[in-house]
């Protein structure tokens, strides 16, 4: 549908989004270590069967099928969010985390943001599992946790403009309330029309609801919600010359990387 590229929302309370960057690195490293697992997805040897969240294992007590990689059933509520089935699955989730994670972390602080992220992942897994407690198919991906970031960002900064890549081809700049509001509506529509599809939209909705509720608990006391500022990402600015002609001025790229 679309991939977020950049926003103009500067950090105010932290110098660098350490937790966001660490989560991205952890997801990338784990994907690199488990990338070959998709070749044996139907085998009991795949780490997905153990580290992924399998509803029937948690709700019906079915034993773990990977003895060499055993983890407690409750732990898979978190570990599943660090597994991805393909490069594009990983890239899409990390793009959302990169663009929106820093400002949510800024609004909460490092430790609370990490707890918030984990709780959104747990909420997404539970929403997925409760839809079908007997499902033997492992759930993987950071989408539920990222969905929590989306709803939190929308509540915090609805009027910030965001550059996105639509259909992997067209760069477009849109306000967050329109962009993310459409994305949330799409998740609800897909859950209603395709409850048994390959994508767990139930986990997305679980993460969204958790993020919308937890933002009010985890945000800093002085952090406002529904910020009325309208900030657009820098692009190209036209400035008038004394002769009346216009020239193109490209704003300098910030030297401190890591800010969306």
């Amino acid at each position: 549908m679309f991939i977020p590229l950049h926003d103009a929302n500067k950090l105010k309370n932290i110098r660098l989004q350490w937790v966001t960057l660490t989560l991205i690195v952890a997801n990338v490293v784990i994907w690199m270590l488990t990338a070959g697992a998709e070749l044996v997805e139907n085998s009991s040897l795949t780490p997905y069967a153990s580290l992924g969240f399998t509803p029937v294992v948690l709700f019906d007590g079915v034993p773990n099928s990977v003895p060499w990689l055993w983890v407690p059933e409750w732990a898979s509520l978190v570990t599943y969010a660090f597994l991805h089935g393909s490069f594009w699955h990983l890239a899409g989730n990390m793009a959302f985390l990169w663009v929106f994670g820093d400002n949510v972390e800024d609004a909460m602080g490092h430790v609370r943001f990490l707890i918030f992220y984990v709780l959104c992942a747990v909420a997404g897994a539970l929403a997925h599992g409760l839809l079908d407690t007997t499902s033997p198919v492992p759930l993987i991906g950071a989408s539920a946790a990222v969905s929590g970031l989306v709803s939190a960002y929308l509540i915090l900064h609805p009027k910030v403009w965001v550059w996105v890549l639509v259909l992997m081809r067209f760069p477009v700049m849109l306000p967050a309330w329109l962009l993310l509001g459409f994305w949330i509506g799409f998740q609800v529509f897909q859950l209603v029309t395709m409850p048994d599809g390959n994508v767990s939209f139930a986990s997305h909705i679980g993460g969204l609801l958790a993020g919308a509720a937890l933002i009010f608990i985890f945000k800093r006391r002085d952090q406002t919600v529904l910020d009325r500022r309208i900030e657009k990402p820098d692009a190209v600015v036209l400035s008038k010359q004394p002769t009346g002609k216009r020239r193109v001025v490209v704003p300098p790229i910030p030297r401190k990387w890591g800010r969306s």
Side-chain angles (χ1 to χ4, degrees), residues 55-67:
V56 71
V57 173
L58 180 68
F59 292 104
D60 289 351
V62 175
N64 190 327
S65 61
V66 187

Side-chain angles (χ1 to χ4, degrees), residues 4 95-104 149-150 153 162 179-180:
F96 274 80
L97 179 55
W98 168 257
V99 174
F100 302 120
D102 60 340
N103 296 113
V104 179
L149 299 181
V150 166
Y153 189 97
V162 183
L179 175 70
L180 300 183

Side-chain angles (χ1 to χ4, degrees), residues 103-150:
N103 296 113
V104 179
E105 183 175 349
D106 185 57
M108 298 179 180
H110 305 303
V111 175
R112 281 179 290 182
F113 173 74
L114 178 59
I115 297 172
F116 169 88
Y117 185 89
V118 169
L119 290 180
C120 287
V122 171
L126 291 176
H128 168 80
L130 290 173
L131 195 65
D132 183 6
T133 59
T134 62
S135 173
V137 180
L139 173 70
I140 60 173
S143 300
V146 167
S147 296
L149 299 181
V150 166

Side-chain angles (χ1 to χ4, degrees), residues 80 116-128 139 142-153 155 183-184 187 191 200-215:
Y80 86 95
F116 169 88
Y117 185 89
V118 169
L119 290 180
C120 287
V122 171
L126 291 176
H128 168 80
L139 173 70
S143 300
V146 167
S147 296
L149 299 181
V150 166
S151 58
Y153 189 97
I155 290 172
W183 188 85
I184 291 172
Q187 308 309 304
L191 175 61
S200 175
F201 292 101
S203 69
H204 296 185
I205 300 301
L208 284 166
L209 294 176
L214 294 174
I215 182 60

Side-chain angles (χ1 to χ4, degrees), residues 161-196:
W161 288 64
V162 183
W163 275 106
V164 296
L165 191 63
V166 179
L167 301 178
M168 301 298 292
R169 183 172 298 181
F170 308 104
V172 180
M173 186 170 60
L174 296 169
W177 67 266
L178 178 61
L179 175 70
L180 300 183
F182 172 80
W183 188 85
I184 291 172
F186 179 77
Q187 308 309 304
V188 176
F189 174 79
Q190 290 293 87
L191 175 61
V192 173
T193 58
M194 300 178 60
D196 300 322

